[in-house]
C-alpha cells in the first residue's frame, strides 16, 4: 500500500512537471527539465543525469531539440515589477540574463527570446541607455516581430529621433498618429512619455506637466512607466516655480518607491527647494517675458532703446 501511494506521489510530481515545468522537448518525445540541464560558459547545453550517487553529463545537440515547454518567463514578471519600483538598472540586468539564456534556443518553437530581447531594449531605452539602444536596433529589426512589437519599435525609433533632431513638430505629429492607430495602454504610456519630453525640451512646461500626468492618471496599469513620469512631473513643477506643489509631489514619490534611484532623485530635488514658496503665475510669465519689476525702468528714466533689445 505504501509503495502504491509513493508511486502515485511520484506520478503526480512528474505530471505536474510535465504540465507546468520548464523543459526542453526532444524530437524523440522525451523531456529534459530545467533542473536537469545548464548552459556552459562556451554556450553548450549540458544535460546532467543523476544515477544513484553518480552523475553523468552529456551535451544536447540543438538539432535534436523539437521545442521548449516554458511558461511565462519569470524575467518578464520580475523586470516589470522592478520598473514599477523605479529600479530600471536592476530590471535591465534581469532582462539581460534572460536574453542571454534564451538566445541559446533562438529559432526553436516555444522560445521566449524575442519577447525578452524586445523588453530588454525597451528597458534600455527607458533607462536612457541611448548608445546601447542604437547599437541593438539592427539586430532587433532582423527579428520576426509581431504587429504589436513593430508598433513598439516605431516608438523606439521615434524616441531616437527625439534625441537626435530638433524637428519637434514632426515628432509630435508622428506620436499623435501612433496614438490614433492603437488603444494599447503600454503604447499609449510610452507615447505620452515621449510627447512630454518633447514639450520639456521646448520649455512648454504646462503642456509637459499635463503630458507626464496622463501616464499615472490614464495609464496607471503600466506601472513600469509611472515612477519616472511622476518624478518628471515634479521636476516640471519646479521649472514652473510651483515649489510647494513639487515638494508635496516629491515627498510622495520618495515614500512610494523606497530604496530606488527614483526615490533618491526625489529626495535630492526636495532638498534643493526646501522652504521655497510657490511663485504666482503672473510673476513667472512676467519674468519669462523680461517684464519683471527689476527689468522695468525706474520712474523718470528713459525706456531702453529698441536697438538694445534682444532679437526674437
Amino acid at each position: 500500500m505504501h509503495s502504491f501511494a509513493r508511486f502515485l506521489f511520484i506520478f503526480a510530481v512528474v505530471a505536474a512537471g510535465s504540465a507546468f515545468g520548464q523543459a526542453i522537448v526532444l524530437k524523440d518525445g522525451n523531456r529534459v527539465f530545467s533542473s536537469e540541464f545548464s548552459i556552459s560558459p562556451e554556450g553548450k547545453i549540458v544535460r546532467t543525469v543523476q544515477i544513484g550517487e553518480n552523475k553523468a553529463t552529456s551535451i544536447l545537440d540543438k538539432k535534436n531539440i523539437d521545442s521548449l515547454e516554458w511558461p511565462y518567463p519569470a524575467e518578464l514578471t520580475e523586470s516589470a515589477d522592478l520598473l514599477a519600483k523605479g529600479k530600471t538598472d536592476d530590471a535591465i540586468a534581469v532582462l539581460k540574463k534572460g536574453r542571454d539564456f534564451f538566445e541559446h534556443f533562438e529559432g526553436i518553437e516555444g522560445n521566449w527570446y524575442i519577447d525578452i530581447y524586445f523588453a530588454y531594449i525597451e528597458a534600455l531605452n527607458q533607462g536612457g541607455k541611448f548608445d546601447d539602444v542604437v547599437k541593438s536596433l539592427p539586430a532587433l529589426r532582423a527579428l520576426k516581430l509581431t504587429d504589436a512589437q513593430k508598433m513598439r519599435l516605431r516608438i523606439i525609433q521615434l524616441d531616437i529621433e527625439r534625441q537626435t533632431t530638433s524637428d519637434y513638430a514632426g515628432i509630435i505629429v508622428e506620436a499623435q498618429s501612433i496614438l490614433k492607430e492603437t488603444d494599447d495602454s503600454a503604447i499609449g504610456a510610452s507615447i505620452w512619455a515621449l510627447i512630454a519630453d518633447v514639450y520639456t525640451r521646448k520649455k512648454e512646461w504646462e503642456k509637459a506637466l499635463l503630458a507626464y500626468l496622463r501616464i499615472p492618471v490614464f495609464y496607471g496599469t503600466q506601472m513600469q512607466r509611472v515612477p519616472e513620469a511622476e518624478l518628471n512631473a515634479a521636476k516640471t513643477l519646479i521649472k514652473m516655480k510651483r515649489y510647494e506643489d513639487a515638494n508635496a509631489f516629491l515627498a510622495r514619490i520618495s515614500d512610494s518607491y523606497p530604496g530606488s534611484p527614483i526615490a533618491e532623485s526625489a529626495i535630492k530635488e526636495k532638498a534643493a527647494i526646501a522652504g521655497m514658496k510657490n511663485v504666482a503665475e503672473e510673476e513667472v510669465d512676467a519674468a519669462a517675458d523680461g517684464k519683471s519689476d527689476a527689468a522695468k525702468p525706474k520712474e523718470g528714466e528713459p525706456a531702453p532703446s529698441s536697438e538694445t533689445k534682444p532679437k526674437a
Side-chain angles (χ1 to χ4, degrees):
M1 184 67 181
H2 287 296
S3 60
F4 180 71
R6 184 183 178 192
F7 169 79
L8 287 179
F9 174 78
I10 293 172
F11 176 80
V13 170
V14 171
S18 299
F20 307 108
Q22 302 167 333
I24 295 172
V25 181
L26 302 177
K27 289 182 178 178
D28 62 8
N30 286 319
R31 285 170 171 74
V32 181
F33 292 98
S34 57
S35 59
E36 301 171 353
F37 75 88
S38 60
I39 308 297
S40 73
E42 297 78 25
K44 295 180 180 180
I45 305 168
V46 182
R47 183 180 186 180
T48 303
V49 179
Q50 185 83 34
I51 305 172
E53 296 181 357
N54 300 314
K55 290 184 179 180
T57 61
S58 60
I59 304 298
L60 279 178
D61 195 326
K62 190 175 176 180
K63 68 182 181 183
N64 293 326
I65 299 175
D66 180 68
S67 62
L68 288 184
E69 266 185 8
W70 218 272
Y72 194 77
E75 292 87 351
L76 290 175
T77 303
E78 185 179 352
S79 61
D81 182 59
L82 288 167
L83 288 169
K85 293 176 179 176
K87 299 180 179 181
T88 307
D89 287 343
D90 292 342
I92 290 171
V94 167
L95 288 167
K96 183 180 184 301
K97 184 178 178 180
R99 181 206 66 176
D100 293 345
F101 173 81
F102 283 104
E103 188 173 20
H104 298 291
F105 302 94
E106 188 179 359
I108 293 175
E109 184 181 349
N111 183 24
W112 289 90
Y113 175 70
I114 293 178
D115 299 80
I116 287 187
Y117 186 53
F118 205 101
Y120 171 66
I121 300 302
E122 287 185 313
L124 285 175
N125 192 52
Q126 187 172 336
K129 315 292 186 182
F130 178 70
D131 291 340
D132 292 332
V133 174
V134 172
K135 290 176 184 176
S136 301
L137 277 183
L140 189 61
R141 294 191 188 102
L143 297 175
K144 188 176 181 180
L145 303 176
T146 64
D147 289 341
Q149 287 168 337
K150 289 176 182 176
M151 177 73 78
R152 287 154 62 190
L153 179 57
R154 282 176 63 187
I155 297 172
I156 293 174
Q157 292 170 327
L158 189 62
D159 202 29
I160 290 172
E161 289 181 33
R162 171 185 64 85
Q163 299 179 69
T164 56
T165 73
S166 57
D167 181 19
Y168 298 138
I171 292 170
I172 293 291
V173 168
E174 174 65 7
Q176 291 173 337
S177 173
I178 293 174
L179 283 173
K180 292 176 182 177
E181 294 177 36
T182 180
D183 58 0
D184 186 292
S185 61
I187 291 174
S190 299
I191 284 293
W192 279 107
L194 191 153
I195 290 173
D197 184 80
V198 170
Y199 284 137
T200 297
R201 289 168 183 261
K202 295 177 69 179
K203 298 184 179 181
E204 295 183 20
W205 308 123
E206 188 74 32
K207 291 181 179 179
L209 176 64
L210 293 175
Y212 282 128
L213 290 178
R214 288 185 76 96
I215 297 170
V217 173
F218 295 105
Y219 302 98
T221 57
Q222 300 302 312
M223 290 301 297
Q224 65 272 28
R225 289 282 178 181
V226 171
E228 185 179 17
E230 291 181 334
L231 179 61
N232 285 329
K235 289 180 177 179
T236 304
L237 285 169
I238 294 173
K239 293 290 187 182
M240 298 168 72
K241 301 187 185 302
R242 290 170 56 179
Y243 302 115
E244 293 171 273
D245 300 333
N247 193 61
F249 221 116
L250 292 166
R252 192 177 66 77
I253 292 169
S254 60
D255 291 340
S256 299
Y257 312 107
S260 71
I262 292 287
E264 291 174 7
S265 294
I267 292 169
K268 290 178 182 178
E269 295 286 347
K270 189 172 182 291
I273 60 170
M276 297 177 71
K277 303 294 183 182
N278 285 352
V279 176
E281 188 175 345
E282 312 84 66
E283 294 179 45
V284 175
D285 292 340
D289 292 337
K291 297 177 182 177
S292 63
D293 290 339
K296 290 180 181 179
K298 295 180 181 179
E299 187 175 353
E301 291 184 357
S305 168
S306 59
E307 294 179 357
T308 64
K309 290 182 180 179
K311 295 181 181 180

